[in-house]
Amino acid sequence: MSGGLQLEAQDLAAAYGRAQVLFGVSLALAPGEVLALVGRNGAGKSTTLKAIMGLVPATGTVRLGGQDIARLPAFERARLGLGYVPEDRRIFTDLTVLENLETGRRPPRSGRAPFTEARLFAMFPNLAEMRHRRGGAMSGGEQQMLALARTLMGNPAVLLLDEPSEGLAPRIVAEMAKAVAALKAEGLSILVSEQNVAFTRAIADRALLIERGAVRAAGSVGEIEARLAADALGTDAQ
Amino acid sequence: MSAPLLEARGLAKAYGGVEAVRDVSFTLAPGEMLALIGPNGAGKSTLFAMLGGQLRPDAGRVLLQGRDITRVPASGRFALGVGRTFQVAATFPSLSVRENVQTALLSRAGELFRLMGRADRSHRAEADALLGHVGLAGAADRAAGELAYGDVKRLELALALGNAPRLLLMDEPTAGMARAERADLMRLARDIARDRAIGVLFTEHDMEAVFGHADRILVLDRGALIAEGPPDAVRRDPKVRAVYLGEEAGP
Amino acid sequence: MDLILAQFLTGLAAACSLFLVASGLSLIFGVTRIVNFAHGAFYMLGAYAAYWLQQRLAGPVGFWGAVVLAALLVGALGALMEMTLLRRIYRAPELFQLLATFGVTLMMEDVVVLLFGPEDLLGARAPGLKGAVEVMGQQVPAYDLFLVALGPLVLLALTLALKRTRWGILVRAATQDRDMVAALGVNQKWLFTSVFALGIVLAALGGALQLPRGETAHHTMDLKIIVEAFVVVVIGGLGSVPGAFLAALLVAELNAFGILVLPEVSLVLVFLVMAVVLVARPYGLLGRPQSAQRGALVVTARPWRPFTAPERAIALALAALAAMLPLAGGAYALSVGAEVALFVLFAASLHLVMGAGGMASFGHAAYFGLGAYGAALAVTAGAPMLAALAAGPLLALLGAVAFGWFCVRLSGVYSAMLTLAFAQIAWAVAFQWVGVTGGDNGLIGIWPAAWAASPATFYWLSLAAALLGVALLRMVIFSPFGLALRAVRDNPARAEALGLSRQRVQWAAFAIAGTLAGVAGALFAFLKGSVFPDVLGIPLSVDALAMVLLGGVGTVIGPVPGAILYKLLSIVLVSATAYSKLLLGGLVVALVVAAPRGIAGAALDLLARRRATP
């Protein structure tokens, strides 16, 4: 496996102020694997990703390629190979597309072709056409692509994707799925939180059902989706 | 027949050409628990803010017991008997738990501009009774900022009850709570609604809370109501299943 | 016409330094959210450093080399301060960082006296730019034309640095979303330090470039520039470099033409414009709403409560002890005692707005000063002392009602800056309305009536005012109104949902606090026998701020020990050493780092820990 690293989290617990959101989440992601976190809004998927990235105070352990990173600040985790694409995209609205890409630039990782603006523009032709446009003047779908491209500029080994298809038109969702598949083919490990069933099926190898801040079930995407459907309608799935 | 407690008539709101809420109408009866659900971005928050007075609708009216309150701001709706709780529970962290409730009681009595007298001695019995009701009797003297989150939610409920509301708006009442606490809180809200004939409208992502405690459910999708009815009917509704689970999800 | 052009060019030249200082301040605030009060001190250091270097380096190369070297040296000093002091307190509320940098400012004012002496130092003229150039028949100094050109060049350079370099792109990104920048692998620490250093280099450059205009280097030049720079930054919009440029032009031209056209109101003009801009555009000309609000001003885990019986007994005993001072002390001690008592009342009144109300005020001296002037004007008009003691607070009340109405409509730093603007307007009126206020000469002969003339009686009077005032404020804090005020501070949205109007509650608090500050001011006029514009000045406002923060803004009792300690220390240090500011500033810095919750806060923490471990 060329690109990805092993990511492992154990007993992650986190709270926003006094509101506890995570109650001991554990997961493991193999190199080159795509793992989906499935669950309702507010179940703790986003917080799981933020806790792994070091963006919310959390307890528990996080290992990247065997190294314990749980005590490192977010920027050091990023330098070690974690790439984070936030749920609300958090594009720098005053910066142009090229400038947004620049903020993500990190040195190449050995043993893999580095991401460059040219490569990313080939991957997302839309962005190439608007390279001088301000982030704030882009549509949601374009911003989502930019957010992913910006993170890729850092040549991450593990990608954390938070709701990449949320609020996007179906055509753009398909494009995102293609992009994620291409990254997987390059060997990146990807942890994705997602509510869109079709999208999850298209990209994920496995899924975890997150509920009320804990992992409720693990299995294939199909199994987990069925479980989620049953839960939502209050019918007994067991 | 007398007017319903709360009535929304043709409410609409657009942001820069995007219709967040389109022509939403419904009613709520005293003592009823009405849940508002729908996927992210369906317009729940917008609708809720229009009912709470934080947002002014582009079209439509909000009636409280037949009276048009569409143009009454949030601070004025309190006096008319509208209480509300927030998604991220909002209390006064550096006041004691009892003082939190006393603030609400003093506000109802119109006494908050009094410069004389001790606030901590006013409406004490009523404050303690309310705290007892939500199960916080033992925590009255602690700082609200020190409470566990489940208790903060309870305190918020007591604050909302402080003006003896006729209508209670609860935005995701169980968000951020542990599972056992959620059921307790919903049971408490339901008991209070029944005992005091308060109409409760709540949004919620936790389906257990919705299907376990609502008398009726409204389902919102892309700004419009797509279903309305008792839990069993809504659960079986094919449109609801599609919206919540995506087209492909089988039964 | 020609005169107007010449004056316009003078304004443009003055705008250059102002822009340099303000753009640095704005950059620093945009990225680090620190309101750097020490910015003026670094400007001053820049001037002194350039002066010193120019004495030692010869020729044009030496002259210009000295300017650049001075800016770089001072910039390095600024970076040092950021790394050793500010890094410790980034998570603290904004006002604590302001207090820390205020402490540094105090220290530097004495350091330059220590190194260079108290005299004004006249710098060398710029080689090659000593003469004047004729522009449309008017003689304009060549150096001024150089500055006129330099301002836009610096703007261009800064703009290019921000737009075209990786560093600039990261700075702009961090101004919008610091956490996202960190998630992309950028070490914020060094980004902050570099921005801070650049901001300080610009300030020092501004100082160094002022000398050849004929302005002297002196140890009080920091205050004037920091106030103007604050005004420029606020008018332009916090964090906006082009905004700072626009506002610097506006302010400098207002100054240049104000003196020409409306000399009577020239000092007020700038602040009037700032008030108008803030009321019309709450975020300045080119500013944006601030993103996330950081740590609240008042955070306390212990609900405020009235004294218990034993505590009240202790308080009464201490008051009785204070009342016995005339038995032990002479006239000087009693006058110091009276002054301390009046400042206790002054600080306690500010604390109602800041501690209970959660609103920062940089201009509380306005109400102290209005009280003093109200009393003094009444005496001048022939009123007896008691009537004058009523007139002072009344004037303060009117001022607080008028100013407060505007201030409660803004929030955060902008609201605080508006309080400052109003205080400066009041100051400028007192300074320039010579016919009524006596201007700089003040009003003199404000002596107490015969019954209150003895030092002991006046001390008792001041003490009684302070004790009653503090008791009254405590009563207000624990009244239903005080509860409403604290509720609004804790959570405005929740308070609104409970039917409380934030603005009305805070406005009323403003009025009460202003009136009591006026009582302190009125008595102060009689204590000193005179009133000068200083009683409305920024240093006095900052003193009050320091007293409240040092005492502990999150406690009820805080302002009392804070005022006693700060006032006594400054009086004692002034009489004991020539370098009182150095010591006082050092103490302020040490306390901010060691006891971020103030003296009373630290004491209560200690007590709570004692109780927890039996």
Side-chain angles (χ1 to χ4, degrees), chain C residues 4-83:
Chain C
I4 291 180
L5 180 76
Q7 199 65 12
F8 181 71
L9 287 173
T10 307
L12 286 186
C16 179
S17 275
L18 195 50
F19 165 63
L20 288 178
V21 178
S23 61
L25 192 62
S26 204
L27 271 177
I28 290 174
F29 180 85
V31 176
T32 65
R33 303 278 151 194
I34 283 197
V35 180
N36 180 26
F37 197 92
H39 216 65
F42 286 111
Y43 165 90
M44 174 177 72
L45 281 188
Y48 272 105
Y51 171 87
W52 189 81
L53 287 166
Q54 279 160 0
Q55 303 285 310
R56 276 150 193 83
L57 304 173
V61 176
F63 177 89
W64 296 109
V67 169
V68 174
L69 204 57
L72 292 178
L73 281 177
V74 176
L77 209 59
L80 194 69
M81 174 178 102
E82 194 273 347
M83 289 159 67

Side-chain angles (χ1 to χ4, degrees), chain B residues 25-27 34 216-219 225-230 233-234 237 240:
Chain B
S25 303
F26 65 88
T27 61
L34 179 61
R216 211 151 48 90
I217 298 173
L218 302 171
V219 187
L225 277 187
I226 58 163
E228 176 184 353
V234 167
D237 190 311
V240 178

Side-chain angles (χ1 to χ4, degrees), chain B residues 2-7 27-34 51 62-69 72 76-84 108 157 159-170 189-190 192-202, chain C residues 497:
Chain B
S2 68
L5 174 62
L6 174 72
E7 183 175 5
T27 61
L28 170 63
E32 185 180 28
M33 295 276 286
L34 179 61
L51 298 171
V62 180
L63 299 144
L64 187 69
Q65 292 185 317
R67 177 181 164 185
D68 190 335
I69 60 163
V72 178
R77 289 184 196 202
F78 174 82
L80 296 174
V82 180
R84 74 164 294 176
R108 183 184 71 187
L157 187 57
L159 285 187
L161 292 173
N163 69 331
R166 292 173 285 182
L167 169 65
L168 193 56
L169 302 172
M170 302 176 81
R190 186 179 184 154
I192 287 171
R194 298 248 161 99
D195 294 350
R196 307 183 177 204
I198 298 172
V200 178
L201 177 71
F202 67 102

Side-chain angles (χ1 to χ4, degrees), chain B residues 75 78 84-86 90-96 99 103-104 106-107 111-119 143 156 159, chain C residues 300-301 303-304 306 475-476 478-481 483-484 486-487 489-491 493-500 504-505 508 512:
Chain B
S75 58
F78 174 82
R84 74 164 294 176
T85 66
F86 292 82
T91 60
F92 306 118
S94 67
L95 305 186
S96 78
E99 282 173 326
T103 307
L106 283 163
S107 176
E111 293 170 344
L112 274 176
F113 274 84
R114 259 180 41 202
L115 291 169
M116 310 289 263
R118 288 255 301 261
E156 215 199 7
L159 285 187
Chain C
T300 169
W304 287 1
M475 190 190 82
V476 168
F478 292 112
S479 74
F481 172 75
L483 191 63
R486 288 181 281 147
R489 167 198 74 193
D490 270 18
N491 195 330
R494 171 35 89 192
E496 291 264 323
L498 290 182
L500 267 170
R504 276 179 58 201
V505 171
I512 296 170

